[in-house]
Amino acid sequence: MSDSRRTDAVLLLVALVWGSSYLSAQTATSALPVLAVLFARYALSALVCLGLVAAGRGTELKRGRGLRPWTREEVRAGLPLGVTQAAVLVVETYGVAHTTAANAGLIISLTIVLTPLLDRAGHPGGLPPAFYAAAGVCVLAVGLLMSGNGFHAPRLGDLLMLGAALIRAVHVALVGRLTAGRPIRPLHLTTLQTVIGTALFLPAAAPDLPALVRADTGTWTQLLYLALFCSVFAFLAQTWAVQRTSASRASLLLGTEPIWAAAIGIALGGEHLTPLTALGATLMVTGTYWGQSVERAHRAGAALPARPAFEDRPVQGRKGGLGAQPPGTGWDG
């Protein structure tokens, strides 16, 4: 297998793992309270991340490099991002517990079109009209997904997933603003976020710790999967792969997450797509991909230098573009 195909395969695996996280979270929350599930996911992830940081620090010390475990820039970014990441998972996990895994994965993909809107806030100029048309398609898709077997009042879980998509978009935009141009190590930033999340959820989950300890093997399997695969593995694999491909290609492959979420929910979760929800799923995938491509082209065009009016020869732009922020950026699934 060539390097490019290996990288593509890793990115598709990350999208698959993140897509499966909704069914795993739904299964875990059917056996345990949501806050206990979140605490276990964060605590297990934090233990693994701290172990990886310690191993890396030991290697650096052997090489005679006395780097600090966390830099000031990492702490400044990690504290607010740890809080916003925890907020994303609280709303998302409660949402998954009250809707289908397929709907959860599809509605959360609204992050792809919401993030550029927030990221452009305060910047001169706006996004092309085509982007807002794509966003309109996504809004229509959400309405169809919420309709289920017929038009009715929105379900609580679907509304929570809408809120989760908005909060995740805020989180992703904040990641860009707090980390751009700063020497921040992804593993150290992720570790700090997991430690903060563990500390935040511990007091609320404390009454449910006995139930967590007594959970059966199946529930613990889901918790370990959420922590080790959907969080730690997916983040590290994403970082490894994105460094070996373009941001545009990474966004395209990671953008298949809602497709995997719907497929796994139907195949393994016994869920069913009605004609209305099937149409909504199709429109959601179409709208998010369309909006992503429009935003990416807009960024690439904005990065090209202006051509002087008196110059007849073509001007070469910078190779490539800024690309879109890959969906799911962060440690969550």
Side-chain angles (χ1 to χ4, degrees):
M1 183 183 293
S2 65
D3 289 342
S4 61
R5 289 188 178 182
R6 185 182 299 109
T7 302
D8 289 350
V10 169
L11 287 169
L12 279 175
L13 180 59
V14 171
L16 171 59
V17 167
W18 277 340
S20 68
S21 68
Y22 302 101
L23 183 59
S24 293
Q26 191 178 63
T27 304
T29 53
S30 66
L32 290 170
V34 168
L35 293 175
V37 171
L38 288 171
F39 169 74
R41 180 176 180 177
Y42 264 101
L44 292 169
S45 300
L47 289 174
V48 174
C49 288
L50 286 170
L52 292 173
V53 169
R57 180 164 171 76
T59 302
E60 294 296 325
L61 290 175
K62 288 180 180 179
R63 295 176 179 175
R65 300 175 183 175
L67 296 177
R68 289 182 294 174
W70 280 271
T71 64
R72 182 175 300 177
E73 290 82 4
E74 289 166 350
V75 173
R76 285 177 177 175
L79 290 175
L81 293 179
V83 174
T84 56
Q85 184 66 75
V88 171
L89 283 187
V90 165
V91 181
E92 181 180 298
T93 308
Y94 272 110
V96 170
H98 293 88
T99 188
T100 64
N103 269 21
L106 290 163
I107 293 174
I108 200 69
S109 64
L110 272 173
T111 301
I112 298 174
V113 293
L114 289 174
T115 301
L117 292 173
L118 296 174
D119 198 32
R120 295 290 300 175
H123 291 75
L127 291 163
F131 180 86
Y132 296 98
V137 171
C138 291
V139 172
L140 175 61
V142 170
L144 292 172
L145 289 170
M146 288 182 173
S147 67
N149 295 317
F151 291 102
H152 51 74
R155 288 176 292 185
L156 174 62
D158 294 329
L159 292 175
L160 287 172
M161 292 310 300
L162 273 175
L166 176 60
I167 299 171
R168 187 194 275 194
V170 171
H171 172 75
V172 173
L174 195 59
V175 169
R177 296 190 181 187
L178 293 179
T179 62
R182 293 178 174 87
I184 293 177
R185 295 162 292 182
L187 174 59
H188 289 67
L189 181 61
T190 301
T191 302
L192 191 56
Q193 290 180 78
T194 61
V195 171
I196 292 171
T198 303
L200 288 174
F201 287 120
L202 176 57
D208 300 314
L209 291 183
L212 178 63
V213 174
R214 293 193 302 267
D216 58 27
T217 304
T219 302
W220 272 105
T221 300
Q222 299 295 336
L223 294 174
L224 287 169
Y225 181 74
L226 286 170
L228 303 183
F229 288 88
C230 301
S231 298
V232 179
F233 162 76
F235 179 79
L236 295 178
Q238 176 198 0
T239 302
W240 175 89
V242 169
Q243 290 175 339
R244 289 163 173 78
T245 188
S246 66
S248 299
R249 192 171 184 84
S251 296
L252 179 65
L253 294 170
L254 291 172
T256 61
E257 176 188 342
I259 301 174
W260 294 114
I264 291 171
I266 295 169
L268 301 181
E271 299 175 359
H272 301 281
L273 283 182
T274 66
L276 282 177
T277 53
L279 177 60
T282 302
L283 290 177
M284 178 62 76
V285 173
T286 301
T288 52
Y289 270 83
W290 182 19
Q292 187 184 63
S293 64
V294 170
E295 194 271 346
R296 184 167 58 245
H298 178 70
R299 281 178 178 261
L304 294 174
R307 178 179 176 180
F310 58 83
E311 190 173 6
D312 293 328
R313 66 179 184 274
V315 178
Q316 293 293 328
R318 290 185 292 179
K319 184 178 180 180
L322 296 179
Q325 180 77 23
T329 301
W331 72 277
D332 64 310

